[in-house]
């Protein structure tokens, strides 16, 4: 009989049953003479053709979920249900009876095997060889019985399989450690073979608990059975083979806890053995652990797996590369460790619009940490190739790191790569020049970014330009006190750097002008650049006036008086220029800034100049203040009259 025929007859049965149920319900609530509803009459008229007895169906294995309703995600054998979580209500008793007693039974069976082994050893009932062979046989029989029961009772059978593997573990350990029938390498290989078989069974059954047990057994085997702890090279080779096999099992099963257990164990054992192992083996092990675990952790978004893999991988590579006869293996290993991060970036990095919509690219803090730490570690690995040569050429390492990231991020609009490239390029410019000389390079770099933002419509480049310009001003502020010395005022290196920063701010404001319907934070970049440039101009000229007269006048008192008067005059003139520009450009903010500077100038004249300046200097300061104040007041009156004339 075909499946279609079975489904058709099953539908007929269901229709008949629905009609009978409705009829019984109607008879219980309505009078016998009441007519049946149309739907029930239709159900009663369904032909009741003889249906053969259904074929016997084998009961579903215990723990197998029922068929999911339409639209529900299908169950896959690679994911485990949270069997450890006890249900609430009446199902608690069944859960305790099925799983709680099962766990107790398995643990008791393992303890009984251990106690029997100990008791037989103490009383000499059977020979040691028979004990070990018997343990292996008992474990194999228990595991085989569990395998047979899996088809009907999945959880119960899987537990027996794990119990049998535990018995075999104990037997092999006793044969190696207690009775010395097997040498340590053979015993370790035996335990590894048992772990591999258990991992294969776990993958076939879709049970993560067995996979985690197999990983734990493979990791503790060299700790329990190893005698020659100095053979670190053999230990790393063993761990590498186990890590590759069990890593594939955890990846295919998508078992997060198993992957975490494997990564943590490989990291802890590998970090301890890498300094004593052969350098080539240590490098290979670091690449396998770091690249493999990081690729799995980034793909599945498992933060704990990628944490152990990334940092331990780089640590082991550093330990192995430091003992290599040449430096290029360290750089090659670093590139191999960077490959998973680059692959993740190429796959997940999006254009600027989608990048902003997802909030920092939709990446987690840990993913950003690995992406940003990788270029720094690559820069260190590149520097180790020729430390003296790179030290003599500052900024070259950063430039070498910046170029590939810029090539990947600018051409295909990958904001994350462009961010790293821009930061590395700014670092190169910062490191290549000293003091105020770096102002010219970083200012030019900020202008390049602003031009890219305007003419290539790159939103991220506008932020790069702003960050670079702010860093430029910070570097200038730190360098001016160190380089002032005897440099000529207004024409020395610090002064020229100040003029360059002001001109750069004006150029950046022009490039960021919002004449293309720009919205959002970048629409205010023009005002921000002008505010920064005017602030630098105001403070820079003030410092230069403070240095000018001590260089020109021999008398310190005369230089002090002249500096005080010139600074007051500069502040008043600067305030007037801001107010005038505010009226010309119809910018109230600029006028308010001018009034603020004027208020500071008035305070200086009244508090400082009248008490410290002498004779004509005091008169000049107050006279300049009065004339400029009257001029500003006249401009405000004229503006108010013009506004009143335009009013209806």
């Amino acid at each position: 009989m075909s499946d279609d025929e079975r489904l058709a007859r099953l539908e007929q049965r269901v229709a008949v049953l629905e009609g009978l149920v409705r009829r019984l319900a109607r008879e219980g609530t309505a009078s016998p003479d009441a007519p049946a509803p149309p739907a029930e009459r239709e159900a009663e008229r369904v032909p009741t053709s003889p249906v053969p007895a259904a074929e016997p169906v084998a009961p579903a294995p215990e723990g197998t979920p029922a068929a999911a309703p339409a639209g529900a995600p299908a169950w896959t054998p690679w994911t485990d249900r949270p069997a450890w979580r006890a249900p609430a209500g009446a199902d608690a008793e069944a859960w305790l009876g099925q799983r709680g007693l099962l766990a107790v039974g398995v643990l008791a069976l393992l303890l009984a095997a251990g106690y029997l082994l100990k008791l037989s050893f103490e009383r000499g009932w059977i020979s040691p060889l028979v004990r070990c062979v018997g343990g292996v046989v008992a474990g194999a029989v228990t595991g085989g019985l569990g395998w047979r029961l899996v088809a009907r009772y999945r959880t119960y059978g899987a537990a027996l399989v794990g119990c049998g593997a535990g018995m075999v573990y104990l037997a092999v350990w006793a044969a190696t450690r207690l009775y010395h029938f097997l040498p340590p390498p053979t015993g370790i290989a035996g335990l590894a073979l048992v772990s591999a078989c258990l991992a294969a069974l776990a993958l076939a059954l879709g049970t993560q608990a067995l996979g985690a047990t197999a990983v734990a057994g493979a990791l503790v085997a060299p700790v329990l059975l190893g005698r020659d702890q100095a053979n670190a090279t053999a230990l790393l080779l063993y761990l590498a083979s186990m890590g590759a096999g069990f890593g594939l099992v955890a990846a295919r099963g998508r078992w997060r806890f198993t992957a975490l257990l494997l990564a943590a164990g490989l990291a802890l054992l590998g970090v301890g053995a890498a300094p004593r192992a052969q350098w080539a083996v240590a490098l290979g092990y670091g690449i396998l652990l770091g690249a493999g675990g990081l690729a799995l952790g980034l793909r599945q978004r498992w933060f704990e797996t990628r944490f152990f893999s990334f940092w331990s991988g780089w640590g082991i590579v550093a330990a192995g590369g430091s003992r290599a006869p040449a430096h290029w293996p360290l750089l090659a290993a670093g590139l191999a460790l960077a490959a998973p991060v680059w692959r993740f970036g190429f796959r997940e990095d999006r254009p600027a619009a989608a990048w902003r919509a997802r909030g920092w690219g939709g990446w987690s803090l840990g993913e950003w940490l690995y992406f940003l730490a990788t270029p720094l570690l690559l820069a260190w690995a590149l520097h180790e190739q020729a430390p003296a040569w790179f030290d003599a050429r500052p900024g070259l390492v950063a430039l070498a790191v910046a170029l590939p990231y810029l090539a990947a991020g600018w051409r295909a609009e990958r904001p994350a790569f462009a961010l790293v490239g821009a930061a590395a390029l700014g670092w190169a410019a910062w490191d290549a020049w000293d003091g105020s000389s770096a102002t010219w390079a970083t200012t030019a770099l900020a202008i390049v970014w602003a031009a890219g933002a305007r003419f290539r419509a790159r939103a991220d480049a506008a932020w790069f330009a702003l960050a670079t310009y702010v860093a430029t001003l910070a570097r200038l502020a730190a360098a001016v006190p160190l380089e002032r010395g005897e440099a000529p005022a207004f024409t020395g290196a610090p002064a020229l750097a100040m003029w360059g920063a002001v001109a750069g701010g004006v150029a950046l404001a022009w490039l960021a002008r919002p004449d293309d319907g720009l919205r959002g934070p970048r629409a205010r970049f023009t005002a921000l650049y002008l505010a920064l440039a005017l602030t630098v101009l105001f403070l820079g000229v003030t410092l230069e006036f403070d240095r000018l007269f001590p260089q020109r006048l021999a008398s310190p008192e005369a230089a002090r008086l002249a500096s005080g008067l010139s600074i007051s005059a500069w502040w008043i003139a600067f305030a007037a220029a801001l107010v005038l520009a505010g009226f010309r450009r119809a910018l109230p903010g600029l006028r308010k800034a001018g009034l603020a500077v004027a208020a500071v100038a008035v305070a200086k004249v009244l508090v400082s100049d009248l008490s410290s300046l002498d004779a004509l200097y005091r008169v000049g300061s107050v006279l300049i203040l009065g004339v400029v104040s009257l001029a500003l007041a006249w401009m405000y009156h004229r503006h108010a009259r013009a506004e009143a004339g335009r009013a209806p």
Side-chain angles (χ1 to χ4, degrees), residues 199-520:
L201 293 176
L203 196 58
L205 298 176
T207 305
Q208 181 171 198
L210 294 181
T213 304
V215 169
L219 292 177
V220 302
V223 178
L224 295 178
L225 302 182
R227 289 181 178 176
D228 186 8
Q229 299 295 333
N231 194 2
T233 300
L235 176 60
L236 289 186
L237 291 174
Y238 167 82
L239 293 175
S241 59
M242 292 296 102
F246 290 116
L248 293 176
V249 171
R252 187 171 182 184
R254 296 180 181 178
W255 292 337
R256 185 169 187 171
F257 178 74
T258 303
L260 168 62
L261 184 63
L262 179 63
L266 294 178
L268 295 176
L269 295 176
V271 168
R276 297 179 285 109
Q278 187 180 1
W279 67 268
V281 176
L283 280 178
Y285 182 81
I287 293 173
L288 177 64
L289 173 59
L294 187 60
L296 177 61
L298 289 174
R299 184 179 63 187
Q300 300 294 341
R301 300 294 177 98
W302 295 343
F303 68 90
E304 60 281 338
T305 299
R306 63 193 183 213
F307 173 81
F308 282 105
S309 302
F310 183 83
W311 298 113
S312 60
W314 273 102
I316 294 172
V317 163
S322 62
R323 294 180 285 110
H327 296 291
W328 65 265
L330 176 62
L331 181 59
L335 294 174
L337 291 177
V341 179
W342 290 340
R343 182 177 180 273
F344 172 81
F346 276 105
R347 187 178 69 247
E348 299 293 334
D349 203 6
R350 296 168 175 83
W355 202 71
R356 292 196 307 273
R358 291 176 59 87
W360 294 99
W363 294 5
S364 67
L365 180 62
E367 290 164 348
W368 271 113
L369 174 63
Y370 304 126
F371 190 82
L372 298 179
T374 295
L376 297 177
L377 294 171
L378 284 177
W380 164 77
L382 179 61
H383 178 269
E384 291 300 310
Q385 304 304 303
W389 190 81
F390 281 114
D391 290 340
R393 296 163 178 82
L396 190 58
V397 171
L399 180 63
V401 173
L403 292 179
Y405 276 92
L406 285 176
W410 189 261
R411 188 175 184 85
E413 196 172 358
R414 296 186 179 92
F417 282 89
L419 173 64
V420 174
L425 194 60
W427 177 21
W430 187 289
D431 199 27
W433 287 275
D434 296 328
S436 58
S437 301
T439 303
W440 295 97
T442 51
T443 301
L445 182 59
I447 293 175
V448 170
W449 289 127
R454 184 167 192 85
F455 301 114
R456 291 290 301 274
R458 287 293 299 260
D460 51 350
W463 294 98
F464 300 160
L466 178 62
T468 305
Y469 187 63
V470 171
T472 298
L473 299 185
R475 181 68 176 268
L476 179 63
V480 165
L482 300 177
E483 297 184 1
R484 290 177 64 183
E486 299 299 328
F490 291 101
T491 58
L496 293 178
M498 182 265 295
W499 299 125
V502 172
V506 174
L508 290 170
W510 181 81
L511 288 172
R513 64 191 188 279
D515 58 354
D516 53 355
L518 194 64
R519 296 292 184 269

